[in-house]
Amino acid sequence: MPANLKYWYLGLSIRSKFQLWFLPLLLVASGSIGFFSYTTASNQVLEKVSQAQENISSQTISHLDYLAKDIHDIYNYLSLSSELHDLLSPEPTFNSAIIVNSMINRLLSTRQFFQSLLIFSDGHQTIKFNSLNNNEIISFEEYKKSRIYENTVNDVVSGAWGVEEGPLKLFIGDQRRKVFYSKVLVNPENLVKEGLLVIGMTEEDFRQSYGRAKENVEIVIVNGDGTILSDSDGKWSGSSFEQLPYYDHVPIEQVDWSNHDGEWLISHSSSEVTGWHVLVIQPRTEQLMQLNAIRWLTIGLMLLILLMNAPLSWTISRLFLQPLKKILKSMREVQAGDFSQQVDVTLRDEIGQLGNGYNIMVTRIRELIQDVYQSEISKKESELRLLQSQINPHFLYNTLNSIAWMSYREGAEKTADMIQKLSDFFRYNLSQGADIISLSKELNIVESYLYLSKIRFADKLTYSIEVAQRLSDVLVPKLILQPLVENAVVHGIEQIDEQGFVHVSVRESSGDLHIEVTDNGMGIAPDRLDKLRSAIRSEKRAAHYEDTGGFALLNLRDRLVNHFGDGAGIEIDSKRNIGTTVKMVIPFRHLESEDMRSDGRV
């Protein structure tokens, strides 16, 4: 499957590939922007909601602490009242009941949320004040059976808060749930426990004391023992904390306030005055619904991208493909043989560089073809001249041999030898049209030329040829050595009056064939020698350097490089009025021999 998919992908056009990649990139980009926008906005909303909940929680704690302190003030006021303690004593005075009754009525009338006050005592009838109704109250004995009574007795100093739950009803027949504060009443003079003071209010009024929550915001007040005193909806009052669904129904002693159900936003605060826990709760989803606009905007943007992808990617890809199509069209023309093609590219980017590079390549190919064409023409002309020079060579040999024979008959032996050497020179020079000859034949040409030159200069010239016998069969290009010897004679020996000497050496060294021609002629001037060396090192054709005066050397250099490669070369060393040495170096691995050719090894 991956191989088929790769084959299908490679067969797509650039425009199709552009659309294939362009669409996912746009979708990923827009989706990422929408995701990060939604995430950032939701974090900001949740942070603001959390701050608002913290403010609500702090305000609720403040209101409830004020309420609790007010109740503590009422208790302190009554506990310090000598009339109340007198009323609860075994022998109360006649007017203590009137004074206490007036005092309590005055206290309750000045408090907005307190509707009832009960004073239980084992030695006195229960004192009852209720601004709501005259219902019968619970007996002290029944009250002692409740958990709130147990908590009150166990904490004489602070007292206890409670709420009517189960069968516990402070006022029989009153269905309104009461939240109340219970504390032992102690005589400050003798510290005798004289009774129990209970101050209460309806849960609805208790709820109003901390203010009604906003819509979808729930406030829950939990007592220190895990009893829910009140909540903003009134549905949890009197229940246990374990019944709340927000903390996985764990007991309040084990709860981790920061670890709650993720569907809810919950802020927690606790009161240092009462020990109450205040929870402010909101559903997370409802708070994030206002961010749905970002979600729908992202979806709409992605749909818009899907609709605009085809025309947009087609337009953009056209900007890239138009110059490429020009180049492809021109390449087809070049393939058909039109090397005059040039692409008009005005861009300066990578495509423009490609177009300019293509134009340069076509121009160089055209120039190379022209050079090859001219080279082939020159080669054909040379072959034609060679063929013309080889027309009936036997006539020339036979004529020279006849002249030499007649010279011998007439006693002109020296003349006969010259004619014979000249005949040999022409015969080896032509070599039946062969371009490659053995080194021994090349040396025969050199020896014939030196012999004729020696006679010409009337014994002014002497020469020597030094070559190892095993190198005689090595094949070399024809006339590769004779031009060097001719240069030594014409430009070296001919220019001096003293005795001239030419030495030819052929040897093998370090895997190369070394050929040296040394003369004791007049040498080469330093400036001309520098030009000649520079021309030899140059890669340009020898015909361009006729002004150096070393055309034969440069032509020989070109022949060596063409035949043996860059490993072959010429070195020249000369000193004025001392002489000149020209050395040719040919890699031995490129050389053949007549034995190798006859054996079929090359």
Side-chain angles (χ1 to χ4, degrees):
M1 183 63 183
N4 295 334
L5 186 62
K6 180 179 179 181
Y7 179 80
W8 171 80
Y9 175 77
L10 294 176
L12 293 176
S13 64
I14 293 180
R15 178 167 294 169
S16 300
K17 291 177 181 177
F18 190 85
Q19 291 179 338
L20 183 64
W21 285 105
F22 191 67
L23 177 61
L25 288 176
L26 288 179
L27 292 178
V28 170
S30 60
S32 299
I33 293 174
F35 172 77
F36 285 115
S37 299
Y38 181 83
T39 302
T40 303
S42 63
N43 290 336
Q44 292 178 351
V45 168
L46 294 178
E47 184 178 356
K48 291 181 179 179
V49 170
S50 177
Q51 292 177 354
Q53 290 188 171
E54 292 291 341
N55 293 334
I56 294 174
S57 178
S58 299
Q59 292 176 4
T60 302
I61 289 290
S62 178
H63 292 161
L64 293 177
D65 286 349
Y66 178 81
L67 178 68
K69 290 179 181 179
D70 200 14
I71 289 181
H72 291 160
D73 291 341
I74 294 175
Y75 171 83
N76 292 332
Y77 179 77
L78 293 176
S79 66
L80 295 176
S81 172
S82 59
E83 288 80 3
L84 178 59
H85 294 296
D86 179 67
L87 180 63
L88 297 177
S89 65
E91 297 179 358
T93 59
F94 72 96
N95 62 344
S96 59
I98 298 174
I99 296 173
V100 169
N101 185 55
S102 174
M103 180 175 57
I104 293 176
N105 282 328
R106 187 170 59 252
L107 286 173
L108 294 182
S109 63
T110 57
R111 265 61 176 184
Q112 177 183 358
F113 300 109
F114 305 143
Q115 294 96 13
S116 60
L117 186 147
L118 301 176
I119 299 177
F120 293 105
S121 176
D122 290 328
H124 191 278
Q125 184 180 0
T126 301
I127 301 174
K128 179 188 74 169
F129 292 89
N130 187 5
S131 61
L132 298 176
N133 53 56
N134 291 320
N135 290 19
E136 183 179 354
I137 63 173
I138 188 173
S139 66
F140 192 23
E141 296 300 326
E142 288 295 326
Y143 187 76
K144 289 180 180 180
K145 298 177 182 179
S146 65
R147 184 173 59 173
I148 183 65
Y149 174 79
E150 182 180 353
N151 294 338
T152 303
V153 173
N154 291 335
D155 193 353
V156 177
V157 176
S158 300
W161 284 88
V163 63
E164 291 180 339
E165 52 182 325
L168 176 63
K169 289 290 183 180
L170 294 180
F171 296 92
I172 300 173
D174 190 350
Q175 300 302 320
R176 290 172 294 186
R177 192 182 301 276
K178 308 294 189 302
V179 177
F180 53 90
Y181 174 71
S182 175
K183 188 174 182 180
V184 175
L185 193 60
V186 179
N187 191 325
E189 294 181 358
N190 52 22
L191 301 180
V192 175
K193 298 178 182 179
E194 296 178 336
L196 199 68
L197 177 66
V198 178
I199 303 175
M201 68 197 78
T202 63
E203 190 274 332
E204 184 177 354
D205 289 335
F206 183 82
R207 193 188 314 159
Q208 292 179 358
S209 68
Y210 56 82
R212 184 167 182 81
K214 298 179 181 179
E215 186 178 0
N216 297 325
V217 178
E218 183 178 10
I219 300 176
V220 179
I221 314 299
V222 184
N223 198 9
D225 61 356
T227 303
I228 299 176
L229 299 178
S230 174
D231 65 279
S232 53
D233 295 329
K235 61 182 179 180
W236 297 109
S237 180
S239 301
S240 172
F241 174 79
E242 298 179 24
Q243 295 178 265
L244 291 176
Y246 313 119
Y247 288 93
D248 201 21
H249 305 287
V250 298
I252 194 170
E253 298 83 5
Q254 304 174 8
V255 68
D256 179 4
W257 298 108
S258 61
N259 184 19
H260 53 77
D261 192 336
E263 296 182 2
W264 304 91
L265 301 174
I266 302 178
S267 295
H268 166 263
S269 298
S270 59
S271 172
E272 296 180 358
V273 176
T274 61
W276 293 340
H277 300 279
V278 176
L279 302 178
V280 181
I281 305 166
Q282 294 187 76
R284 178 188 292 268
T285 54
E286 293 186 7
Q287 297 302 318
L288 297 180
M289 285 182 61
Q290 55 185 311
L291 301 179
N292 284 341
I294 297 178
R295 183 181 302 172
W296 288 112
L297 181 62
T298 302
I299 295 175
L301 179 61
M302 296 177 72
L303 292 176
L304 182 63
I305 289 173
L306 286 174
L307 295 176
M308 295 182 60
N309 173 63
L312 184 62
S313 60
W314 185 89
T315 303
I316 296 176
S317 61
R318 186 174 181 272
L319 298 177
F320 292 96
L321 292 177
Q322 197 68 20
L324 291 177
K325 286 183 176 180
K326 290 182 180 179
I327 297 175
L328 288 175
K329 182 179 179 181
S330 178
M331 290 177 65
R332 295 189 185 97
E333 296 296 331
V334 171
Q335 290 175 354
D338 183 7
F339 292 96
S340 63
Q341 287 290 318
Q342 290 288 293
V343 179
D344 183 17
V345 180
T346 58
L347 299 174
R348 290 182 294 179
D349 54 11
E350 288 80 357
I351 296 179
Q353 295 175 10
L354 175 64
N356 292 330
Y358 169 77
N359 290 337
I360 294 174
M361 181 189 69
V362 172
T363 301
R364 290 183 177 177
I365 291 176
R366 183 172 63 249
E367 293 175 351
L368 180 61
I369 292 175
Q370 187 67 24
D371 290 343
V372 172
Y373 177 72
Q374 293 295 336
S375 177
E376 289 295 326
I377 291 178
S378 299
K379 183 178 180 181
K380 294 297 182 182
E381 291 176 350
S382 298
E383 291 176 353
L384 179 60
R385 287 194 297 269
L386 180 61
L387 290 175
Q388 290 174 348
S389 67
Q390 293 177 354
I391 295 175
N392 201 7
H394 292 287
F395 173 76
L396 178 61
Y397 302 153
N398 293 335
T399 301
L400 290 175
N401 288 333
S402 297
I403 296 174
W405 179 76
M406 290 178 64
S407 298
Y408 277 120
R409 287 186 59 184
E410 294 175 357
E413 295 181 359
K414 192 171 184 179
T415 301
D417 290 339
M418 287 184 63
I419 294 173
Q420 186 63 46
K421 288 293 183 181
L422 181 61
S423 176
D424 293 340
F425 179 80
F426 282 132
R427 183 171 66 254
Y428 287 124
N429 199 356
L430 293 175
S431 301
Q432 297 179 349
D435 291 330
I436 305 298
I437 62 176
S438 65
L439 181 60
S440 61
K441 291 182 179 181
E442 179 71 14
L443 291 175
N444 286 334
I445 296 174
V446 171
E447 201 278 332
S448 297
Y449 175 80
L450 288 173
Y451 178 83
L452 294 173
S453 297
K454 181 178 180 181
I455 296 175
R456 173 190 170 196
F457 290 111
D459 296 330
K460 175 184 176 182
L461 171 66
T462 59
Y463 63 89
S464 65
I465 299 176
E466 180 185 356
V467 59
Q469 183 64 34
R470 61 186 181 85
L471 299 177
S472 299
D473 293 335
V474 172
L475 299 179
V476 295
K478 183 174 63 178
L479 296 179
I480 198 172
L481 184 54
Q482 189 272 336
L484 296 181
V485 175
E486 184 176 354
N487 270 358
V489 173
V490 175
H491 299 292
I493 306 303
E494 188 175 347
Q495 306 298 324
I496 62 175
D497 297 329
E498 296 82 7
Q499 178 70 31
F501 177 75
V502 176
H503 176 69
V504 179
S505 172
V506 181
R507 58 188 175 84
E508 179 187 359
S509 177
S510 302
D512 295 330
L513 183 67
H514 290 251
I515 301 176
E516 292 184 6
V517 177
T518 304
D519 67 77
N520 64 340
M522 66 178 298
I524 305 174
D527 56 343
R528 184 168 174 269
L529 180 62
D530 291 339
K531 290 182 180 180
L532 194 57
R533 285 173 173 171
S534 177
I536 291 174
R537 289 192 297 268
S538 175
E539 296 181 356
K540 295 184 179 180
R541 298 174 62 87
H544 297 168
Y545 289 91
E546 295 182 3
D547 58 340
T548 63
F551 179 78
L553 286 175
L554 300 176
N555 187 40
L556 185 58
R557 187 279 315 270
D558 290 344
R559 292 178 61 200
L560 286 175
V561 173
N562 290 335
H563 193 82
F564 298 109
D566 294 335
I570 297 178
E571 298 177 4
I572 183 170
D573 187 22
S574 180
K575 292 185 179 180
R576 194 66 172 173
N577 299 322
I578 294 179
T580 302
T581 298
V582 179
K583 179 191 295 184
M584 285 190 300
V585 179
I586 301 174
F588 213 87
R589 63 181 180 276
H590 294 303
L591 296 173
E592 305 172 359
S593 67
E594 290 185 341
D595 291 339
M596 293 172 66
R597 282 194 168 184
S598 62
D599 293 344
R601 286 178 284 171
V602 296

